[in-house]
Amino acid sequence: SKRRTDAIAFPRQIAMYLARTLTECSTTEIGDAFGGKDHTTILHAVKKVEEVLLKDEQIRKIVETLQNSLLA
């Protein structure tokens, strides 16, 4: 969808971040998996999530929990 509300966009960006950091998939492959998103969208999502992780401990804990559950 073209909707960009934060309630939808930020969780999608976290999923893109996790896909990029936990897999060896290219940004193009990840973009295709997310409905044909451009590779630059994936790069933007990764950068944005990395910035938020530095500033927001609650989000950092949530992402760490997700990473741990996906790796388990």
Side-chain angles (χ1 to χ4, degrees):
S1 168
K2 296 285 184 188
R3 295 178 73 186
R4 294 187 184 146
T5 62
D6 279 343
I8 295 169
F10 190 62
R12 182 187 306 131
Q13 289 174 330
I14 290 173
M16 291 174 183
Y17 168 83
L18 291 171
R20 184 68 176 139
T21 59
L22 298 178
T23 71
E24 294 182 12
C25 295
S26 69
T27 54
T28 302
E29 291 170 319
I30 295 168
D32 289 344
F34 279 89
K37 302 286 186 205
D38 190 77
H39 74 282
T40 57
T41 302
I42 309 306
L43 293 173
H44 172 75
V46 170
K47 183 177 179 180
K48 180 170 181 175
V49 171
E50 288 174 343
E51 290 172 358
V52 171
L53 292 177
L54 293 173
K55 298 176 186 175
D56 190 327
E57 186 161 340
Q58 182 179 3
I59 297 294
R60 184 171 47 249
K61 287 180 181 180
I62 291 169
V63 171
E64 287 173 0
T65 300
L66 289 168
Q67 287 174 323
N68 291 337
S69 66
L70 291 169
L71 293 173

